[in-house]
Amino acid sequence: MSGERIDLQEGQARFIVPRDLFFNPRARLSRDFGVLALRAEADLQGHRLHVIDLMAGVGARGIRYALEAPVERIVLNDGNPAAVEAIRYNLQLNAIPSDVKVEVVCEQVHRLCYAVRLRDERFDWVDLDAFGSPSVYWHAASLVPRWDGVLYLTATDMAALCGKLRDPAVRHYGAVTRPWECGDEVGARVLLGALQQSAGERGLYYDPLFVLDEGYAMRIAVRLRYGASTFPVQHVGWLVKCMGCFSQTTLPLHVTVGRCRVCDSEDVQWAGPLWTGSLHDPEFLHLISVAARKAGHQAVLRLLRLMIDEVDSPAGYYAAPELGKRAHLRRLPPVDGLVQQLRQEGYIASRTHFETAGFKTNAPYPVIQRIAGQLQ
Ligand SMILES: C[S@@+](CC[C@H](N)C(=O)[O-])C[C@H]1O[C@@H](n2cnc3c(N)ncnc32)[C@H](O)[C@@H]1O
Ligand SMILES: [Zn+2]
């Protein structure tokens, strides 16, 4: 390949990135996580997987899948011919095992997904690594996984998801997002809620496998399910925050008025509609942990511990700095101490992978403030 470029090594893959093409080194964690999750999925299914990378860029992610996970067939697609040239070059740089069938395609996502569907092909794992909101693609992308197959998608429109830009949140997700202390989790849940609704239109739904908040991007893996009557209606609703006492709680979608259950204030803000169910499947997280332990991947293991810990906690979290300000504390409340004391008092409590200084609990906020004060 001619022109300016950089040479990189990530995982077992070597690749070049021409200066004018997109590659984000910060997305390494999500690519590592994807490789380990793919190994987990192959373990679960008991066979090598058929994978499609719908927006492959220079191919880093797809090539790593082919080299580092039990893959039988992989399709790498990008709509930009220059990216596809880089993918072909990068494939040559790496010794892809001869029993992995590799196909390179230069097509628009929608055209490719409909073509796959018309050919009656299906994939075990569908990667959709979009810039901005993935909503424009997810209808098409949902045509590609087999029943019970996995869609692993990215959203980078964090300003909309986390409540800084309201209009695009309404446009893309039909939802109100909020710049609350747990605004990023609200964003993940809005994303999941809207994704569910898009599947529900066609008698489908998704079981979340995991949500990974990387700060600048949200990664979500979901398993496609068939069945209108089993659509998880009970897990679509609102996250409500009291502006009087700061307690957070969820409400079902059909409830559209209400006061704070803790202090009876009418001054409550609503976020949603959003997904109020589990963000992670604990069994799947355990399988990824097994793969991460074998690989000795300490960063992913640390993240997984937090994700496993938060599985049974309620939606939304509180942040220690806000708590410190609201309770007029001299020192930042210690998150581990808070979680421990809340548990001792019989509440559900955990840390959260969304925020180092965050914690989840079903305790009313006045209880949290009292405990934080005692811990000073
Ligand atoms: C975020 S980058 C992909 C990065 C890559 N997955 C990685 O991990 O390095 C998005 C890619 O999608 C491609 N793309 C954007 N819109 C597309 C479309 N409608 N159809 C196909 N490819 C598209 C762009 O050319 C770009 O390479
Ligand atoms: Zn209240």
Side-chain angles (χ1 to χ4, degrees):
M1 284 201 87
S2 56
E4 260 197 278
R5 58 186 221 189
I6 44 172
D7 292 68
L8 293 165
Q9 167 93 42
E10 188 184 285
Q12 291 173 24
R14 278 185 59 207
F15 48 94
I16 59 102
V17 182
R19 286 268 178 229
D20 51 348
L21 289 184
F22 176 86
F23 177 74
N24 184 359
R26 278 201 300 171
R28 173 171 188 156
L29 185 71
S30 90
R31 286 186 287 269
D32 288 357
F33 210 92
V35 165
L36 296 169
L38 211 55
R39 290 184 193 162
E41 180 64 4
D43 274 354
L44 194 65
Q45 300 305 330
H47 58 76
R48 290 159 66 211
L49 302 176
H50 287 212
V51 177
I52 185 163
D53 188 355
L54 292 170
M55 297 173 121
V58 298
R61 188 176 292 261
I63 290 173
R64 288 198 56 195
Y65 286 164
L67 288 171
E68 299 175 41
V71 166
E72 186 167 87
R73 175 188 180 202
I74 184 153
V75 177
L76 293 106
N77 174 65
D78 200 282
N80 178 353
V84 168
E85 197 189 332
I87 293 172
R88 290 191 198 283
Y89 185 89
N90 286 332
L91 281 166
Q92 298 296 324
L93 282 183
N94 291 281
I96 309 283
S98 56
D99 61 350
V100 179
K101 189 173 177 219
V102 182
E103 293 150 65
V104 181
V105 182
C106 185
E107 193 54 275
Q108 292 303 306
V109 166
H110 287 89
R111 288 173 65 101
L112 176 60
C113 292
Y114 283 101
V116 164
R117 182 66 171 222
L118 288 171
R119 289 198 295 267
D120 232 355
E121 287 175 50
R122 294 291 191 282
F123 289 83
D124 300 296
W125 188 278
V126 179
D127 209 296
L128 177 64
D129 190 16
F131 292 125
S133 170
S135 65
V136 62
Y137 302 111
W138 62 31
H139 177 93
S142 72
L143 300 171
V144 182
R146 63 169 171 76
W147 299 138
D148 304 330
V150 175
L151 178 60
Y152 184 34
L153 59 81
T154 307
T156 63
D157 55 336
M158 300 300 272
L161 286 170
C162 302
K164 291 198 183 81
L165 294 176
R166 289 213 181 152
D167 293 1
V170 173
R171 268 203 322 273
H172 290 292
Y173 309 115
V176 175
T177 54
R178 298 279 185 187
W180 294 340
E181 55 202 298
C182 66
D184 44 6
E185 184 179 332
V186 167
R189 290 179 176 279
V190 159
L191 200 57
L192 267 172
L195 181 63
Q196 292 287 18
Q197 203 266 325
S198 78
E201 286 168 2
R202 290 179 300 120
L204 309 171
Y205 65 97
Y206 293 106
D207 281 334
L209 292 179
F210 60 83
V211 167
L212 176 61
D213 177 11
E214 289 189 286
Y216 72 94
M218 202 69 79
R219 319 269 169 181
I220 290 189
V222 289
R223 194 178 293 290
L224 183 67
R225 302 291 195 195
Y226 180 79
S229 61
T230 39
F231 185 94
V233 177
Q234 71 282 13
H235 294 313
V236 182
W238 310 98
L239 189 65
V240 180
K241 187 177 190 71
C242 173
M243 295 295 125
C245 76
F246 308 110
S247 298
Q248 287 166 183
T249 184
T250 54
L251 286 175
L253 196 62
H254 66 269
V255 180
T256 52
V257 285
R259 291 164 175 269
C260 172
R261 282 186 206 157
V262 175
C263 72
D264 204 36
S265 168
E266 277 181 351
D267 188 7
V268 286
Q269 285 188 358
W270 301 59
L274 46 71
W275 176 251
T276 57
S278 289
L279 296 177
H280 317 297
D281 172 344
E283 276 177 42
F284 198 72
L285 292 185
H286 280 295
L287 285 174
I288 304 178
S289 300
V290 172
R293 219 167 286 125
K294 274 191 202 153
H297 203 314
Q298 297 307 324
V300 168
L301 281 169
R302 270 194 301 277
L303 198 54
L304 282 164
R305 273 195 286 276
L306 288 171
M307 292 161 87
I308 290 169
D309 202 30
E310 72 185 335
V311 163
D312 295 321
S313 289
Y317 67 84
Y318 302 101
E322 274 75 5
L323 173 59
K325 273 184 238 146
R326 289 172 191 148
H328 309 293
L329 303 177
R330 275 175 290 113
R331 281 179 293 128
L332 206 62
V335 176
D336 283 331
L338 275 169
V339 168
Q340 209 181 346
Q341 188 58 32
L342 283 161
R343 285 181 178 166
Q344 266 175 21
E345 296 194 16
Y347 295 103
I348 299 169
S350 71
R351 298 193 75 120
T352 172
H353 95 280
F354 282 99
E355 168 59 54
T356 323
F359 58 97
K360 289 172 157 284
T361 182
N362 61 347
Y365 207 71
V367 171
I368 303 169
Q369 281 179 307
R370 193 240 313 141
I371 293 175
Q374 288 166 352
L375 290 174
Q376 286 292 291

